[in-house]
Amino acid sequence: MDYKELVSHGDLHYSHNVKRSEGGLPIGNGVMGSLLWTSPSAVKFQVNRVDVYANDRSTNSFNQRHMDYGYACGFVDIDFVDYGEDVFQDGTIRQHLSLYDALATIQGNGVRLEAFAYDYSDVFAIKVADERDKPQGINIKLKMLRPAEVQTKSHLAVSTLSMRNGIMLLKQEFTEGDYYCSSVVAVGISGRDGVIRMNDEAGGREPVCDFRASRVLGQPNETEMRLCVSPASGSFEILVASAATFDRNEDISAAAVKQLEAARAAGYEQMLQEHRSWWNEFWTKSYIRLSSEDGSAELVEKHYTYYVYLMASNSRRGNYAPNFGGMLLSPRGDLRHWGAMQWWSNLRLYYNAILATGHYELMQPYFSMYSGMYDSCARAAEQQWGSKGIYIPETVWFNGVDELPEDIAAEMRELYLLQKPWEERSEKFKRYAHKKHPHESRWNWKGHEQWIDGELVYTDKSWGPFGSTSHMFGNIAGIAYHYWNYYEFTRDVEWLRDRAYPMIKGAAEFLRNYPSMRKDDDGKYHMYNTISGEKYIGGKDTIQVMSSLYGIMPVLLKAADLLGEDADMIPVWEEFYRNLAPIPKSDHPEAVFKTGENEPAIWVGAIGKVLDERRDFATEPMRYFHLCSLETAYDQPDWFETGAATLAFQETQLGGDWGRAATEMSSVASMLAGMGHAEGFKQAVLAQLECINADREYCYYQDTGRIKFYDNRLTVREGVNAISAQRLGNVASGLQYAVCQSQPGGPGKESVIHVFPACPKDWDAEFSLWCQGGFRVTSAIRQGVIDSIRIVSTLGGTCRFRNPWGDTGISVVQEEREAITLQGSMLAFETSPGTVYTITRTQ
């Protein structure tokens, strides 16, 4: 495989300045990232970090939507023109992002710049070449995000510019009560002389710091400083380092300077060589190659490759996942629409497709963040709900949930569990709630705020204690199931014991012990008063919660058995699981949605009356927890039949066009591919990429229609400064299922590999992807014909797969050994670790 040739299909190429900064070139190392964009005279970027938060779960100062902030550390402009012709002009500018090398290159009139985010420390390395006939001085500007001191109620943000060892420094400090977070951006040069300048407090004099000294005159009072680089022909390097801490006593400026000086000592070329080596090796882990006569397959392929690049750039190191809206790429400061909290229903779309790439390291920030909030979420389960296990809100701060005063917690339980009328909540509770952020799930009953006579006033959303996410619990099991899937791919028993099992058990025990879970006269356990996906408010047996229970309980039982844990609880859990109420269907007398008398039953959103009067079918069992997929047809055919009927019903509702269901957040492509619907998958995935116009003709880089996107394929659905790659995560997950899936017949069951189960007939495809059990599978289909399958068993164990040639006999060759012959639909053979197996048909 020529990985460079393949990966370069996803490169970005511009011959113009982007219209908005959001369209810039993305670079990042998983902790520190940015977009690079140009104006006619400058290259600009914003330094963002995944571990910079202005406030945390304890804040009482941000009780308005979209006003909390985080991630951004400072602006950097590289200004090439003082007086003279612009250097970056539409038509002559060339901008290129090489995914294979993770290297951004910008070529202008007489100037050239290349940049990358170094993989072994938090440094942007930038090489600048001035080839103009009359070189000019180049000004590197380091700018604050806000005025030097900003007070928001009890919260204080202080920014300071300083110099150390010829390096410009911008420090941010955020404090509120016991909370503290600080970041530093350090900017220096190598290979050229320069002078640092900054306005002083006294009235216009500019203190000068020689590049090789650190002597500053006057006291800085401005939001910007400049490193003025002497004019000369040839090249020099700019190094931009950053660091962050939650420790008041750490000298974070020294940490940033140390990284910059280490990078300067190593030299640009050595860093670039190490950087390229890392990325070039990264791409050999897995791949998907597609082709078709109409070009649609190639379009999907390059977006898939680009998704993998984005995840490696935004989620690789550190203890925190990037925010779904903006990631490490926001270019407009640190205020983002939807704020700095994590929204799991959005965030999951970035991580659903990671495991099949084999890049398990990209999951670690996600796991570290949620595991890091375990203790606070265990306390929240007890305080807020009177339950056990862990309560992870759908919308949550990076460090979890704040502990409540006991009297507030007691009243909250009464109110939220409908044991006390909403109208009777105490003034103390109202005052306490008034200070809290309305995006946080536990306070999400707040309606939109408004200022009346200088006072911030809220109404509720007319559902009492229910908000859009207040009683959403499916995410808790969804997070835990990601942990389980990680184990299924890696078979790391110690990781299962130490990291996954506490989350799996915590999720299951919260749901089982939720006070509105009860065993009714029918002998079944029913869940009351929950929310499913911001709808079916206050419903009984809502589709998301019941899917979660059917997903997490068998996984808990299997994990406990594997680990030899909780033997005394296993009978309790088994009884609960055996007697769960069924996932709601349209043939239930109280279903929120009914099909016709002679129509097959389909899944619906809830049983009984719901406060939002939602009436609809539901597809959650085909989108979460491996509850319904191709393999379910063999293990639990009645579930598969319900899923097929639900898909048929929805297809009729859509007039046969699955593209109509493919919104940015929709996982419809994964659902269809998982159920083996190749044509529906194709319709959905192409619509999600917005590559078809109103005449249903294929076109490229279209910025009109339902899903608008920038030059860099990122979208703007989430609002100001919250650019998104959610649709790319959905496309990636769907594509993987279309060419290779290793889903079990149900949660906790043995996984079975299917190759090309939903590949469109007019696509040729080749892939190398990872499957559950540690199997790396490589195969190709051309004009509908599968030649052979190559399976590398990295862990050993039984390999199970569905015969892609029907019931035809197949031959399995283990390296140079004699072939074995197998027959039938389900094929299984034992493997040894590190061994390669080649599978071909015998007829």
Side-chain angles (χ1 to χ4, degrees), residues 759-789:
C759 186
K761 292 181 179 179
D762 56 342
W763 287 10
D764 288 349
E766 181 180 352
F767 72 85
S768 187
L769 293 170
W770 292 76
C771 292
Q772 292 189 12
F775 298 106
R776 182 175 178 178
V777 181
T778 304
S779 189
I781 187 170
R782 295 178 179 86
Q783 297 182 340
V785 177
I786 304 170
D787 289 332
S788 64
I789 303 167

PDB file of all heavy atoms in Angstrom, residues 759-789:
ATOM      1  N   CYS A 759     -21.563  -2.467   1.306  1.00  0.00           N
ATOM      2  CA  CYS A 759     -20.804  -1.661   0.343  1.00  0.00           C
ATOM      3  C   CYS A 759     -21.660  -1.429  -0.902  1.00  0.00           C
ATOM      4  O   CYS A 759     -22.171  -2.388  -1.497  1.00  0.00           O
ATOM      5  CB  CYS A 759     -19.511  -2.386  -0.033  1.00  0.00           C
ATOM      6  SG  CYS A 759     -18.419  -1.418  -1.088  1.00  0.00           S
ATOM      7  N   PRO A 760     -21.869  -0.184  -1.319  1.00  0.00           N
ATOM      8  CA  PRO A 760     -22.679   0.074  -2.518  1.00  0.00           C
ATOM      9  C   PRO A 760     -22.168  -0.701  -3.734  1.00  0.00           C
ATOM     10  O   PRO A 760     -20.955  -0.865  -3.909  1.00  0.00           O
ATOM     11  CB  PRO A 760     -22.534   1.592  -2.711  1.00  0.00           C
ATOM     12  CG  PRO A 760     -22.285   2.114  -1.330  1.00  0.00           C
ATOM     13  CD  PRO A 760     -21.439   1.069  -0.666  1.00  0.00           C
ATOM     14  N   LYS A 761     -23.070  -1.177  -4.553  1.00  0.00           N
ATOM     15  CA  LYS A 761     -22.705  -2.048  -5.672  1.00  0.00           C
ATOM     16  C   LYS A 761     -21.783  -1.376  -6.677  1.00  0.00           C
ATOM     17  O   LYS A 761     -20.979  -2.050  -7.336  1.00  0.00           O
ATOM     18  CB  LYS A 761     -23.979  -2.529  -6.375  1.00  0.00           C
ATOM     19  CG  LYS A 761     -24.821  -3.480  -5.533  1.00  0.00           C
ATOM     20  CD  LYS A 761     -26.056  -3.937  -6.291  1.00  0.00           C
ATOM     21  CE  LYS A 761     -26.885  -4.906  -5.451  1.00  0.00           C
ATOM     22  NZ  LYS A 761     -28.114  -5.350  -6.162  1.00  0.00           N
ATOM     23  N   ASP A 762     -21.891  -0.066  -6.809  1.00  0.00           N
ATOM     24  CA  ASP A 762     -21.071   0.612  -7.814  1.00  0.00           C
ATOM     25  C   ASP A 762     -19.769   1.161  -7.237  1.00  0.00           C
ATOM     26  O   ASP A 762     -19.103   1.972  -7.870  1.00  0.00           O
ATOM     27  CB  ASP A 762     -21.870   1.743  -8.466  1.00  0.00           C
ATOM     28  CG  ASP A 762     -22.412   2.752  -7.467  1.00  0.00           C
ATOM     29  OD1 ASP A 762     -22.482   2.425  -6.262  1.00  0.00           O
ATOM     30  OD2 ASP A 762     -22.752   3.884  -7.870  1.00  0.00           O
ATOM     31  N   TRP A 763     -19.405   0.752  -6.022  1.00  0.00           N
ATOM     32  CA  TRP A 763     -18.138   1.159  -5.414  1.00  0.00           C
ATOM     33  C   TRP A 763     -17.170  -0.018  -5.412  1.00  0.00           C
ATOM     34  O   TRP A 763     -17.544  -1.150  -5.059  1.00  0.00           O
ATOM     35  CB  TRP A 763     -18.336   1.598  -3.965  1.00  0.00           C
ATOM     36  CG  TRP A 763     -19.013   2.917  -3.776  1.00  0.00           C
ATOM     37  CD1 TRP A 763     -19.634   3.677  -4.720  1.00  0.00           C
ATOM     38  CD2 TRP A 763     -19.155   3.610  -2.535  1.00  0.00           C
ATOM     39  NE1 TRP A 763     -20.171   4.804  -4.148  1.00  0.00           N
ATOM     40  CE2 TRP A 763     -19.880   4.790  -2.804  1.00  0.00           C
ATOM     41  CE3 TRP A 763     -18.757   3.343  -1.236  1.00  0.00           C
ATOM     42  CZ2 TRP A 763     -20.196   5.718  -1.806  1.00  0.00           C
ATOM     43  CZ3 TRP A 763     -19.073   4.246  -0.243  1.00  0.00           C
ATOM     44  CH2 TRP A 763     -19.780   5.423  -0.525  1.00  0.00           C
ATOM     45  N   ASP A 764     -15.931   0.246  -5.765  1.00  0.00           N
ATOM     46  CA  ASP A 764     -14.827  -0.658  -5.456  1.00  0.00           C
ATOM     47  C   ASP A 764     -14.215  -0.190  -4.146  1.00  0.00           C
ATOM     48  O   ASP A 764     -14.121   1.019  -3.897  1.00  0.00           O
ATOM     49  CB  ASP A 764     -13.765  -0.643  -6.555  1.00  0.00           C
ATOM     50  CG  ASP A 764     -14.224  -1.343  -7.819  1.00  0.00           C
ATOM     51  OD1 ASP A 764     -15.273  -2.019  -7.781  1.00  0.00           O
ATOM     52  OD2 ASP A 764     -13.544  -1.209  -8.859  1.00  0.00           O
ATOM     53  N   ALA A 765     -13.804  -1.130  -3.322  1.00  0.00           N
ATOM     54  CA  ALA A 765     -13.310  -0.749  -1.998  1.00  0.00           C
ATOM     55  C   ALA A 765     -12.197  -1.682  -1.557  1.00  0.00           C
ATOM     56  O   ALA A 765     -12.160  -2.865  -1.920  1.00  0.00           O
ATOM     57  CB  ALA A 765     -14.447  -0.791  -0.975  1.00  0.00           C
ATOM     58  N   GLU A 766     -11.303  -1.115  -0.787  1.00  0.00           N
ATOM     59  CA  GLU A 766     -10.234  -1.876  -0.142  1.00  0.00           C
ATOM     60  C   GLU A 766     -10.062  -1.305   1.249  1.00  0.00           C
ATOM     61  O   GLU A 766     -10.145  -0.095   1.446  1.00  0.00           O
ATOM     62  CB  GLU A 766      -8.938  -1.746  -0.940  1.00  0.00           C
ATOM     63  CG  GLU A 766      -7.769  -2.525  -0.359  1.00  0.00           C
ATOM     64  CD  GLU A 766      -6.503  -2.360  -1.188  1.00  0.00           C
ATOM     65  OE1 GLU A 766      -6.589  -1.767  -2.283  1.00  0.00           O
ATOM     66  OE2 GLU A 766      -5.447  -2.814  -0.728  1.00  0.00           O
ATOM     67  N   PHE A 767      -9.836  -2.176   2.229  1.00  0.00           N
ATOM     68  CA  PHE A 767      -9.709  -1.670   3.596  1.00  0.00           C
ATOM     69  C   PHE A 767      -8.747  -2.538   4.390  1.00  0.00           C
ATOM     70  O   PHE A 767      -8.482  -3.699   4.056  1.00  0.00           O
ATOM     71  CB  PHE A 767     -11.071  -1.659   4.298  1.00  0.00           C
ATOM     72  CG  PHE A 767     -11.582  -3.034   4.648  1.00  0.00           C
ATOM     73  CD1 PHE A 767     -11.193  -3.665   5.833  1.00  0.00           C
ATOM     74  CD2 PHE A 767     -12.438  -3.715   3.798  1.00  0.00           C
ATOM     75  CE1 PHE A 767     -11.650  -4.940   6.152  1.00  0.00           C
ATOM     76  CE2 PHE A 767     -12.899  -4.993   4.106  1.00  0.00           C
ATOM     77  CZ  PHE A 767     -12.499  -5.606   5.291  1.00  0.00           C
ATOM     78  N   SER A 768      -8.248  -1.953   5.446  1.00  0.00           N
ATOM     79  CA  SER A 768      -7.551  -2.683   6.504  1.00  0.00           C
ATOM     80  C   SER A 768      -7.998  -2.052   7.809  1.00  0.00           C
ATOM     81  O   SER A 768      -7.636  -0.911   8.115  1.00  0.00           O
ATOM     82  CB  SER A 768      -6.033  -2.587   6.336  1.00  0.00           C
ATOM     83  OG  SER A 768      -5.375  -3.418   7.272  1.00  0.00           O
ATOM     84  N   LEU A 769      -8.841  -2.775   8.558  1.00  0.00           N
ATOM     85  CA  LEU A 769      -9.447  -2.250   9.770  1.00  0.00           C
ATOM     86  C   LEU A 769      -9.309  -3.262  10.896  1.00  0.00           C
ATOM     87  O   LEU A 769      -9.050  -4.444  10.673  1.00  0.00           O
ATOM     88  CB  LEU A 769     -10.922  -1.918   9.540  1.00  0.00           C
ATOM     89  CG  LEU A 769     -11.237  -0.774   8.583  1.00  0.00           C
ATOM     90  CD1 LEU A 769     -12.734  -0.721   8.281  1.00  0.00           C
ATOM     91  CD2 LEU A 769     -10.749   0.566   9.129  1.00  0.00           C
ATOM     92  N   TRP A 770      -9.546  -2.776  12.112  1.00  0.00           N
ATOM     93  CA  TRP A 770      -9.417  -3.616  13.304  1.00  0.00           C
ATOM     94  C   TRP A 770     -10.796  -4.055  13.776  1.00  0.00           C
ATOM     95  O   TRP A 770     -11.768  -3.290  13.704  1.00  0.00           O
ATOM     96  CB  TRP A 770      -8.691  -2.852  14.408  1.00  0.00           C
ATOM     97  CG  TRP A 770      -7.254  -2.614  14.042  1.00  0.00           C
ATOM     98  CD1 TRP A 770      -6.785  -1.694  13.147  1.00  0.00           C
ATOM     99  CD2 TRP A 770      -6.123  -3.333  14.519  1.00  0.00           C
ATOM    100  NE1 TRP A 770      -5.421  -1.785  13.035  1.00  0.00           N
ATOM    101  CE2 TRP A 770      -4.976  -2.784  13.874  1.00  0.00           C
ATOM    102  CE3 TRP A 770      -5.949  -4.367  15.430  1.00  0.00           C
ATOM    103  CZ2 TRP A 770      -3.694  -3.254  14.115  1.00  0.00           C
ATOM    104  CZ3 TRP A 770      -4.671  -4.836  15.673  1.00  0.00           C
ATOM    105  CH2 TRP A 770      -3.555  -4.288  15.016  1.00  0.00           C
ATOM    106  N   CYS A 771     -10.859  -5.280  14.257  1.00  0.00           N
ATOM    107  CA  CYS A 771     -12.113  -5.858  14.724  1.00  0.00           C
ATOM    108  C   CYS A 771     -11.982  -6.291  16.180  1.00  0.00           C
ATOM    109  O   CYS A 771     -10.875  -6.432  16.709  1.00  0.00           O
ATOM    110  CB  CYS A 771     -12.481  -7.066  13.855  1.00  0.00           C
ATOM    111  SG  CYS A 771     -12.920  -6.623  12.161  1.00  0.00           S
ATOM    112  N   GLN A 772     -13.112  -6.517  16.809  1.00  0.00           N
ATOM    113  CA  GLN A 772     -13.112  -7.012  18.182  1.00  0.00           C
ATOM    114  C   GLN A 772     -12.328  -8.327  18.259  1.00  0.00           C
ATOM    115  O   GLN A 772     -12.376  -9.147  17.347  1.00  0.00           O
ATOM    116  CB  GLN A 772     -14.543  -7.224  18.667  1.00  0.00           C
ATOM    117  CG  GLN A 772     -15.314  -5.931  18.831  1.00  0.00           C
ATOM    118  CD  GLN A 772     -16.652  -6.122  19.519  1.00  0.00           C
ATOM    119  OE1 GLN A 772     -16.938  -7.180  20.076  1.00  0.00           O
ATOM    120  NE2 GLN A 772     -17.482  -5.089  19.494  1.00  0.00           N
ATOM    121  N   GLY A 773     -11.587  -8.475  19.359  1.00  0.00           N
ATOM    122  CA  GLY A 773     -10.740  -9.637  19.511  1.00  0.00           C
ATOM    123  C   GLY A 773      -9.315  -9.413  19.051  1.00  0.00           C
ATOM    124  O   GLY A 773      -8.492 -10.335  19.100  1.00  0.00           O
ATOM    125  N   GLY A 774      -9.007  -8.186  18.594  1.00  0.00           N
ATOM    126  CA  GLY A 774      -7.646  -7.888  18.170  1.00  0.00           C
ATOM    127  C   GLY A 774      -7.298  -8.391  16.787  1.00  0.00           C
ATOM    128  O   GLY A 774      -6.121  -8.609  16.472  1.00  0.00           O
ATOM    129  N   PHE A 775      -8.301  -8.591  15.931  1.00  0.00           N
ATOM    130  CA  PHE A 775      -8.048  -9.052  14.566  1.00  0.00           C
ATOM    131  C   PHE A 775      -7.949  -7.847  13.627  1.00  0.00           C
ATOM    132  O   PHE A 775      -8.839  -6.997  13.610  1.00  0.00           O
ATOM    133  CB  PHE A 775      -9.172  -9.976  14.089  1.00  0.00           C
ATOM    134  CG  PHE A 775      -9.307 -11.223  14.913  1.00  0.00           C
ATOM    135  CD1 PHE A 775     -10.362 -11.373  15.803  1.00  0.00           C
ATOM    136  CD2 PHE A 775      -8.373 -12.244  14.809  1.00  0.00           C
ATOM    137  CE1 PHE A 775     -10.492 -12.520  16.564  1.00  0.00           C
ATOM    138  CE2 PHE A 775      -8.499 -13.404  15.571  1.00  0.00           C
ATOM    139  CZ  PHE A 775      -9.552 -13.542  16.448  1.00  0.00           C
ATOM    140  N   ARG A 776      -6.872  -7.812  12.850  1.00  0.00           N
ATOM    141  CA  ARG A 776      -6.777  -6.804  11.798  1.00  0.00           C
ATOM    142  C   ARG A 776      -7.155  -7.487  10.484  1.00  0.00           C
ATOM    143  O   ARG A 776      -6.523  -8.453  10.059  1.00  0.00           O
ATOM    144  CB  ARG A 776      -5.375  -6.221  11.698  1.00  0.00           C
ATOM    145  CG  ARG A 776      -5.281  -5.135  10.623  1.00  0.00           C
ATOM    146  CD  ARG A 776      -3.931  -4.460  10.575  1.00  0.00           C
ATOM    147  NE  ARG A 776      -3.889  -3.468   9.501  1.00  0.00           N
ATOM    148  CZ  ARG A 776      -2.838  -2.692   9.243  1.00  0.00           C
ATOM    149  NH1 ARG A 776      -1.739  -2.786   9.990  1.00  0.00           N
ATOM    150  NH2 ARG A 776      -2.878  -1.832   8.251  1.00  0.00           N
ATOM    151  N   VAL A 777      -8.189  -6.969   9.845  1.00  0.00           N
ATOM    152  CA  VAL A 777      -8.770  -7.592   8.657  1.00  0.00           C
ATOM    153  C   VAL A 777      -8.497  -6.706   7.451  1.00  0.00           C
ATOM    154  O   VAL A 777      -8.731  -5.486   7.490  1.00  0.00           O
ATOM    155  CB  VAL A 777     -10.279  -7.801   8.840  1.00  0.00           C
ATOM    156  CG1 VAL A 777     -10.881  -8.468   7.605  1.00  0.00           C
ATOM    157  CG2 VAL A 777     -10.556  -8.646  10.078  1.00  0.00           C
ATOM    158  N   THR A 778      -8.008  -7.316   6.375  1.00  0.00           N
ATOM    159  CA  THR A 778      -7.723  -6.605   5.135  1.00  0.00           C
ATOM    160  C   THR A 778      -8.393  -7.340   3.984  1.00  0.00           C
ATOM    161  O   THR A 778      -8.296  -8.574   3.887  1.00  0.00           O
ATOM    162  CB  THR A 778      -6.207  -6.530   4.872  1.00  0.00           C
ATOM    163  OG1 THR A 778      -5.563  -5.919   5.987  1.00  0.00           O
ATOM    164  CG2 THR A 778      -5.910  -5.736   3.610  1.00  0.00           C
ATOM    165  N   SER A 779      -9.094  -6.609   3.136  1.00  0.00           N
ATOM    166  CA  SER A 779      -9.757  -7.231   1.998  1.00  0.00           C
ATOM    167  C   SER A 779     -10.072  -6.175   0.949  1.00  0.00           C
ATOM    168  O   SER A 779      -9.910  -4.964   1.199  1.00  0.00           O
ATOM    169  CB  SER A 779     -11.037  -7.950   2.435  1.00  0.00           C
ATOM    170  OG  SER A 779     -11.569  -8.721   1.380  1.00  0.00           O
ATOM    171  N   ALA A 780     -10.525  -6.638  -0.213  1.00  0.00           N
ATOM    172  CA  ALA A 780     -10.888  -5.731  -1.303  1.00  0.00           C
ATOM    173  C   ALA A 780     -12.052  -6.321  -2.077  1.00  0.00           C
ATOM    174  O   ALA A 780     -12.204  -7.552  -2.171  1.00  0.00           O
ATOM    175  CB  ALA A 780      -9.697  -5.499  -2.233  1.00  0.00           C
ATOM    176  N   ILE A 781     -12.888  -5.444  -2.600  1.00  0.00           N
ATOM    177  CA  ILE A 781     -13.981  -5.851  -3.477  1.00  0.00           C
ATOM    178  C   ILE A 781     -13.906  -5.002  -4.736  1.00  0.00           C
ATOM    179  O   ILE A 781     -13.788  -3.776  -4.667  1.00  0.00           O
ATOM    180  CB  ILE A 781     -15.356  -5.705  -2.774  1.00  0.00           C
ATOM    181  CG1 ILE A 781     -16.462  -6.282  -3.625  1.00  0.00           C
ATOM    182  CG2 ILE A 781     -15.645  -4.265  -2.376  1.00  0.00           C
ATOM    183  CD1 ILE A 781     -17.802  -6.402  -2.902  1.00  0.00           C
ATOM    184  N   ARG A 782     -13.927  -5.667  -5.883  1.00  0.00           N
ATOM    185  CA  ARG A 782     -13.853  -4.971  -7.165  1.00  0.00           C
ATOM    186  C   ARG A 782     -14.935  -5.523  -8.073  1.00  0.00           C
ATOM    187  O   ARG A 782     -15.010  -6.733  -8.284  1.00  0.00           O
ATOM    188  CB  ARG A 782     -12.466  -5.137  -7.793  1.00  0.00           C
ATOM    189  CG  ARG A 782     -11.365  -4.470  -6.978  1.00  0.00           C
ATOM    190  CD  ARG A 782      -9.979  -4.685  -7.589  1.00  0.00           C
ATOM    191  NE  ARG A 782      -8.947  -4.005  -6.783  1.00  0.00           N
ATOM    192  CZ  ARG A 782      -8.358  -4.561  -5.730  1.00  0.00           C
ATOM    193  NH1 ARG A 782      -8.689  -5.795  -5.353  1.00  0.00           N
ATOM    194  NH2 ARG A 782      -7.446  -3.892  -5.053  1.00  0.00           N
ATOM    195  N   GLN A 783     -15.781  -4.634  -8.560  1.00  0.00           N
ATOM    196  CA  GLN A 783     -16.916  -5.005  -9.396  1.00  0.00           C
ATOM    197  C   GLN A 783     -17.755  -6.111  -8.732  1.00  0.00           C
ATOM    198  O   GLN A 783     -18.208  -7.057  -9.361  1.00  0.00           O
ATOM    199  CB  GLN A 783     -16.440  -5.443 -10.787  1.00  0.00           C
ATOM    200  CG  GLN A 783     -15.742  -4.323 -11.539  1.00  0.00           C
ATOM    201  CD  GLN A 783     -15.319  -4.734 -12.933  1.00  0.00           C
ATOM    202  OE1 GLN A 783     -15.200  -5.920 -13.234  1.00  0.00           O
ATOM    203  NE2 GLN A 783     -15.095  -3.749 -13.798  1.00  0.00           N
ATOM    204  N   GLY A 784     -17.906  -5.945  -7.413  1.00  0.00           N
ATOM    205  CA  GLY A 784     -18.751  -6.855  -6.668  1.00  0.00           C
ATOM    206  C   GLY A 784     -18.118  -8.174  -6.290  1.00  0.00           C
ATOM    207  O   GLY A 784     -18.787  -9.024  -5.697  1.00  0.00           O
ATOM    208  N   VAL A 785     -16.834  -8.367  -6.604  1.00  0.00           N
ATOM    209  CA  VAL A 785     -16.170  -9.636  -6.341  1.00  0.00           C
ATOM    210  C   VAL A 785     -15.124  -9.461  -5.238  1.00  0.00           C
ATOM    211  O   VAL A 785     -14.256  -8.591  -5.322  1.00  0.00           O
ATOM    212  CB  VAL A 785     -15.489 -10.183  -7.616  1.00  0.00           C
ATOM    213  CG1 VAL A 785     -14.734 -11.487  -7.306  1.00  0.00           C
ATOM    214  CG2 VAL A 785     -16.535 -10.425  -8.699  1.00  0.00           C
ATOM    215  N   ILE A 786     -15.209 -10.315  -4.205  1.00  0.00           N
ATOM    216  CA  ILE A 786     -14.216 -10.331  -3.131  1.00  0.00           C
ATOM    217  C   ILE A 786     -13.201 -11.424  -3.458  1.00  0.00           C
ATOM    218  O   ILE A 786     -13.557 -12.596  -3.581  1.00  0.00           O
ATOM    219  CB  ILE A 786     -14.875 -10.628  -1.770  1.00  0.00           C
ATOM    220  CG1 ILE A 786     -15.982  -9.621  -1.465  1.00  0.00           C
ATOM    221  CG2 ILE A 786     -13.830 -10.635  -0.656  1.00  0.00           C
ATOM    222  CD1 ILE A 786     -16.833  -9.996  -0.259  1.00  0.00           C
ATOM    223  N   ASP A 787     -11.943 -11.045  -3.599  1.00  0.00           N
ATOM    224  CA  ASP A 787     -10.919 -12.018  -3.964  1.00  0.00           C
ATOM    225  C   ASP A 787     -10.483 -12.860  -2.772  1.00  0.00           C
ATOM    226  O   ASP A 787     -10.489 -14.087  -2.818  1.00  0.00           O
ATOM    227  CB  ASP A 787      -9.701 -11.315  -4.570  1.00  0.00           C
ATOM    228  CG  ASP A 787     -10.022 -10.758  -5.949  1.00  0.00           C
ATOM    229  OD1 ASP A 787     -10.893 -11.331  -6.618  1.00  0.00           O
ATOM    230  OD2 ASP A 787      -9.416  -9.744  -6.338  1.00  0.00           O
ATOM    231  N   SER A 788     -10.057 -12.199  -1.717  1.00  0.00           N
ATOM    232  CA  SER A 788      -9.537 -12.909  -0.550  1.00  0.00           C
ATOM    233  C   SER A 788      -9.656 -12.004   0.665  1.00  0.00           C
ATOM    234  O   SER A 788      -9.915 -10.804   0.557  1.00  0.00           O
ATOM    235  CB  SER A 788      -8.075 -13.320  -0.758  1.00  0.00           C
ATOM    236  OG  SER A 788      -7.250 -12.174  -0.885  1.00  0.00           O
ATOM    237  N   ILE A 789      -9.441 -12.598   1.834  1.00  0.00           N
ATOM    238  CA  ILE A 789      -9.476 -11.871   3.106  1.00  0.00           C
ATOM    239  C   ILE A 789      -8.195 -12.224   3.865  1.00  0.00           C
ATOM    240  O   ILE A 789      -7.845 -13.402   3.991  1.00  0.00           O
ATOM    241  CB  ILE A 789     -10.704 -12.260   3.945  1.00  0.00           C
ATOM    242  CG1 ILE A 789     -11.998 -12.021   3.160  1.00  0.00           C
ATOM    243  CG2 ILE A 789     -10.726 -11.477   5.259  1.00  0.00           C
ATOM    244  CD1 ILE A 789     -13.216 -12.665   3.803  1.00  0.00           C
TER     245      ILE A 789
END
